[in-house]
Amino acid sequence: MSAPPLAGRALVLDGGLSNELAAQGHAVAGELWTARLLVEDQAAIRAAHAVYVRAGAEVLITASYQASFEGFARHGVDLAGAERLFGDSVRLARAAAGRRRVWVAGSVGPYGAVSADGGEYRGRYGLSVAELARFHRPRIAALAAAGPDVLALETVPDVVEAEALLRAAEGCGVPVWLSYTVAGGRTRAGQPLEEAFALAAGDDRVLAVGVNCCAPEEVLPAVEVAATTGKPVVAYPNSGEEWDAARRGWRGSAVSPAEYAVSWREAGARLIGGCCRVGPAEIAELAARLAPSA
């Protein structure tokens, strides 16, 4: 399935893959997070994707968010094996869709996520654009080789890494969406969203720009800024709970993205779903809210 036009109705993204894997009893802690099951239990990943398809998801995001060649190596996987696992993440999502028309987004998480130290919520790693591009390029190449419909450059904390990711994706042959994680109306590194989204404005490879893994109340103002690029907007926040990296746990109250989804769509969002702590029940509710007849 090739990338669909996004000028019309909004497509429903899935929710947190880790959320469903944990609900099925799988441990996803550690530096690889959900990618650990690419090594240990691929059937679990396929099953989790399938739950979201049944809930109404039209876009599945692969289990490669926290995957890296370095991380796989520490789990005894050689270079060729790691390339195969990146590709498997795409193939598992395709298999989970069955005969349904589902769009597969190859997840490319930020450097901070791969470091597994909460760095994706801070950015500013002290690395240059060139250094970050060198890190991301082989991950992107391995995913692109498996033929996803789009690459999700997601949970990006700052403009420096966004520039690096776009540079790393040059020539990969797959369109991308660029999605920042934000707080207080700025990137996690504190840059204005106008500056952050402007990176994508003139780039034909970027089919959507927006936000993810942020509080739901952050989304509408960010969507409004992102829409000024002239591109469709992607929005998939978490539940509104906050990740406490020191305590390795979530705190706060949960909110379903379905409560806000119509306003996001009206502001220009054309890819809408959930991130951490948003499960199949919330995606089913979201799909109902965004149904053409709703």
Side-chain angles (χ1 to χ4, degrees), residues 56-70:
E58 300 167 283
V59 181
L60 296 175
I61 301 174
T62 65
S64 51
Y65 172 79
Q66 210 151 308
S68 69
F69 284 88
E70 296 85 350

Side-chain angles (χ1 to χ4, degrees), residues 3-4 6 59 103-108 136 140-141 143-144 148-154 156 161-179 199-210 231-234 236 271:
L6 296 176
V59 181
W103 198 24
V104 174
S107 175
V108 184
H136 287 300
I140 287 173
L143 281 169
D149 301 295
V150 63
L151 292 174
L153 311 180
E154 57 176 350
V156 182
E161 185 154 33
E163 185 178 347
L165 283 160
L166 290 174
R167 183 180 297 183
E170 289 176 358
C172 75
V174 180
V176 306
W177 80 54
L178 176 63
S179 180
L199 273 182
D203 193 329
D204 291 340
R205 298 170 303 153
V206 181
L207 56 81
V209 63
K231 292 183 178 293
V233 180
V234 56
Y236 52 118
L271 294 163

Side-chain angles (χ1 to χ4, degrees), residues 191-283:
Q191 296 125 339
L193 294 186
E194 291 83 357
E195 176 188 345
F197 294 136
L199 273 182
D203 193 329
D204 291 340
R205 298 170 303 153
V206 181
L207 56 81
V209 63
V211 293
N212 76 288
C213 206
C214 59
E217 59 265 26
E218 294 273 357
V219 173
L220 182 57
V223 169
E224 292 171 342
V225 176
T228 65
T229 65
K231 292 183 178 293
V233 180
V234 56
Y236 52 118
N238 57 35
S239 66
E241 298 162 282
E242 294 184 2
W243 174 249
D244 188 328
R247 298 182 179 180
R248 308 295 297 174
W250 294 90
R251 62 186 181 189
S253 301
V255 178
S256 172
E259 296 185 26
Y260 302 91
V262 173
S263 65
W264 300 341
R265 180 179 62 189
E266 290 174 349
R270 291 296 177 266
L271 294 163
I272 303 176
C275 200
C276 300
R277 308 285 283 182
V278 176
E282 289 76 24
I283 294 304

